[in-house]
Amino acid sequence: MVHLASVPNDKEANAPVVKGMGDLKLEPNDEEDEVTASVYGSRFAAECLPMHEMPEKEMPKEIAYRMIKDDLSLDGNPMLNLASFVTTYMEEEVEKLMAEALPKNFIDYEEYPQTADIQNRCVSMIARMFNAPTHDENENAMGTSTVGSSEAIMLGTLAMKKRWQNKRKAAGKDYSKPNIVMNSAVQVCWEKAARYFEVEERYVFCTEDRYVIDPKEAVNLVDENTIGICAIIGTTYTGEYEDVKAINDLLVEKKIDCPIHVDAASGGFVAPFVVPNLPWDFRLEKVISINVSGHKYGLVYPGVGWVVWRSPEYLPKELVFNINYLGADQASFTLNFSKGASQVIGQYYQMIRLGKHGYRSIMLNLTRTSDYLASALENLGFLIMSKKGGEGLPLVAFRLDPKDKHHFDEFAVAHHLRERGWVVPAYTMAPHSEKLKLMRVVVREDFSRARCDTLVADIKLAMESLKGMDKSTVAHHTKHVNKHHTSSGKSKATNQHYKGEKHSLQGKTGKTHAVC
């Protein structure tokens, strides 16, 4: 997700960090030479980094590197960011391969034919992992790499809409009111896809004890204008797998011509190895397209995603552009054009380096660690909202037990963990269950049992600290943190012009999207 930045006006850009500091003049440096024995002996160390306008003159490369490195040191440690599914560890060998590929423009097939072929190999491997039908010589699954699952979902939505429109046109029927059925716990990119491409959103809302889509309710929302149903393999909030088979079977039973797109952004590289017999993919006849994020449990640095269709029937020709670019004929179906080749190469490395056995070993280890963490948190008095034993993603969603009547909430616990460097998100549940507050720990490849024990100890310490505070102290601390939580006041959290929007699920209901 790209954050919308607000460009400061001149008054904001020139405002000092502390009032009264604007007129302070430091002694000038008599030495004009910008290259010194130390980066911190240069004049740049005593000046503000350029923030709003490009400087007139150059800066020595060593100083530019060090100044930016120091600035970035204020970011958190990615390995302690337990909010995100995004990969934070890769082997040195693949990092080297990816660095060597940085100058390659992936779209230049003629100049980099091997890179293009590597993408095709990845598509084939992923399609077969999702049990795409490969036995019919007259049919073939197809797919493409994307910048991430957001682009993949956009492409999947476009394909479903265009196919539906073509069928309606052929039947002489109105095609101006498409809709899509999905769980209200979808990631925000589904809201974007529907709004950007003018498709009505039809939600199956969560309840206080059900956080996944209800198959019967979903099918009941389908009508002649429905372009498809979105089912999620690994919801963002609790990591649960939605019952794709139940949706498929109901559609078949009722003879409803409605396709299913599976959003396997997080679970696409987990379920095939942890629960291989779970039918959710192309084994089900109504599943026509699947997206997955390579940069999540595909174990690649961001950003790379994949989308696969079971056959050309489900990807209308008018969406695909046959072009001759830089000397090569190619078929293109993307929202982006030029992009780096590094992540695609990284994905191929991981798949041939680890193989099925390697991925299975990693995902099973992560499942064991998440089960261990869930048990530890239960012993600390938390209620577990996620599934164990591989029935969902390797994550732990948990909340305080209301019976304990704490004078603090999950957000206060998250704030205390932040003081120890941990980023453990607290958020409200999806609409119609948004009164529920919860926290979530994503167990990634680099989250070892030893690190898990350290987290548990810090959660225990945070609970003890909060229990030792009175209610007013906790409230004051929470208010202070909420007011000053972004970038030490350096930048605004969002463009102020767009605050208070009422068209998104968050704007309508007040719930918050879980971090992905």
Side-chain angles (χ1 to χ4, degrees), residues 187-426:
Q187 211 274 336
V188 69
C189 59
W190 279 101
E191 288 188 67
K192 288 184 175 182
R195 183 159 294 270
Y196 293 171
F197 302 136
E198 298 183 315
V199 178
E200 176 196 349
E201 303 144 80
R202 291 192 173 179
Y203 291 110
V204 177
F205 288 97
C206 297
T207 67
E208 292 193 359
D209 56 7
R210 175 182 54 76
Y211 316 124
V212 292
I213 200 167
D214 179 88
K216 290 183 180 179
E217 192 174 340
V219 173
N220 287 339
L221 287 174
V222 173
D223 62 19
E224 63 179 5
N225 292 319
T226 302
I227 66 171
I229 299 175
C230 162
I232 309 170
I233 290 299
T235 64
T236 306
Y237 288 92
T238 62
E240 292 180 69
Y241 298 148
E242 297 192 322
D243 195 343
V244 187
K245 186 177 187 303
I247 298 172
N248 177 88
D249 292 351
L250 281 171
L251 292 172
V252 172
E253 177 187 331
K254 296 186 176 185
K255 298 180 179 179
I256 298 175
D257 182 17
C258 177
I260 299 172
H261 175 99
V262 178
D263 179 359
S266 299
F269 276 98
V270 179
F273 304 110
V274 178
V275 283
N277 294 323
L278 179 70
W280 62 270
D281 51 20
F282 291 123
R283 286 170 287 184
L284 304 175
E285 64 179 275
K286 291 295 184 179
V287 174
I288 56 96
S289 52
I290 300 172
N291 70 274
V292 65
S293 292
H295 59 229
K296 293 182 180 177
Y297 288 110
L299 308 181
V300 183
Y301 291 142
V304 62
W306 305 89
V307 59
V308 181
W309 289 268
R310 74 182 303 139
S311 82
E313 175 189 350
Y314 303 102
L315 180 53
K317 286 184 178 181
E318 57 265 48
L319 292 177
V320 179
F321 287 81
N322 290 301
I323 55 178
N324 186 289
Y325 183 66
L326 299 178
D329 290 322
Q330 55 187 279
S332 175
F333 182 37
T334 61
L335 297 182
N336 299 284
F337 202 60
S338 293
K339 65 178 179 180
S342 298
Q343 273 66 27
V344 169
I345 292 170
Q347 184 74 80
Y348 184 60
Y349 173 94
Q350 293 290 55
M351 289 198 290
I352 68 169
R353 160 79 175 93
L354 296 171
K356 294 178 181 178
H357 182 270
Y359 269 99
R360 187 177 300 113
S361 298
I362 291 170
M363 300 309 159
L364 288 174
N365 265 350
L366 299 186
T367 301
R368 294 185 188 102
T369 302
S370 64
D371 285 354
Y372 172 79
L373 176 59
S375 297
L377 292 172
E378 280 182 314
N379 288 331
L380 290 178
F382 289 97
L383 297 178
I384 305 302
M385 301 174 68
S386 48
K387 298 292 185 181
K388 298 180 183 178
E391 293 183 15
L393 296 176
L395 63 77
V396 182
F398 58 103
R399 63 188 178 102
L400 296 169
D401 191 336
K403 294 179 182 178
D404 293 334
K405 297 182 179 179
H406 293 296
H407 58 274
F408 53 87
D409 63 5
E410 289 79 0
F411 288 87
V413 178
H415 294 326
H416 265 262
L417 289 173
R418 197 66 178 259
E419 294 172 3
R420 290 282 293 159
W422 299 106
V423 180
V424 179

Side-chain angles (χ1 to χ4, degrees), residues 8-63:
N9 57 41
D10 291 343
K11 182 179 179 181
E12 293 169 328
N14 296 322
V17 176
V18 179
K19 288 183 178 179
M21 292 291 289
D23 296 325
L24 181 63
K25 302 295 183 183
L26 298 176
E27 286 295 321
N29 186 351
D30 293 333
E31 298 291 336
E32 292 297 328
D33 186 6
E34 295 176 354
V35 181
T36 70
S38 168
V39 169
Y40 302 106
S42 71
R43 66 177 178 84
F44 298 100
E47 296 176 354
C48 291
L49 277 176
M51 292 187 181
H52 306 298
E53 189 168 341
M54 188 184 302
E56 289 292 337
K57 295 185 177 181
E58 307 91 334
M59 180 186 293
K61 59 184 180 182
E62 299 85 355
I63 295 176

Side-chain angles (χ1 to χ4, degrees), residues 85-220:
F85 290 93
V86 174
T87 296
T88 52
Y89 165 79
M90 295 184 79
E91 293 174 334
E92 290 183 9
E93 289 78 6
V94 66
E95 288 181 343
K96 184 178 178 182
L97 272 176
M98 293 170 73
E100 290 169 352
L102 285 174
K104 290 186 179 182
N105 183 2
F106 175 77
I107 206 66
D108 188 353
Y109 292 2
E110 174 69 12
E111 188 68 22
Y112 311 117
Q114 285 305 113
T115 299
D117 190 54
I118 282 175
Q119 182 215 230
N120 297 341
R121 298 175 203 175
C122 290
V123 168
S124 180
M125 291 180 185
I126 291 169
R128 290 172 185 272
M129 184 171 70
F130 295 159
N131 293 291
T134 57
H135 56 277
D136 187 346
E137 62 182 24
N138 297 316
E139 288 284 2
N140 62 283
M142 56 185 57
T144 184
S145 63
T146 59
V147 173
S149 273
S150 292
E151 183 188 4
I153 285 166
M154 299 281 180
L155 298 179
T157 302
L158 273 175
M160 287 189 291
K161 179 183 176 182
K162 181 58 68 174
R163 179 172 178 266
W164 171 83
Q165 286 179 325
N166 289 345
K167 291 177 67 176
R168 299 286 290 180
K169 289 178 183 178
K173 297 180 179 179
D174 178 70
Y175 55 90
S176 64
K177 298 177 181 179
N179 68 67
I180 188 168
V181 176
M182 51 191 170
N183 182 2
S184 63
V186 290
Q187 211 274 336
V188 69
C189 59
W190 279 101
E191 288 188 67
K192 288 184 175 182
R195 183 159 294 270
Y196 293 171
F197 302 136
E198 298 183 315
V199 178
E200 176 196 349
E201 303 144 80
R202 291 192 173 179
Y203 291 110
V204 177
F205 288 97
C206 297
T207 67
E208 292 193 359
D209 56 7
R210 175 182 54 76
Y211 316 124
V212 292
I213 200 167
D214 179 88
K216 290 183 180 179
E217 192 174 340
V219 173
N220 287 339

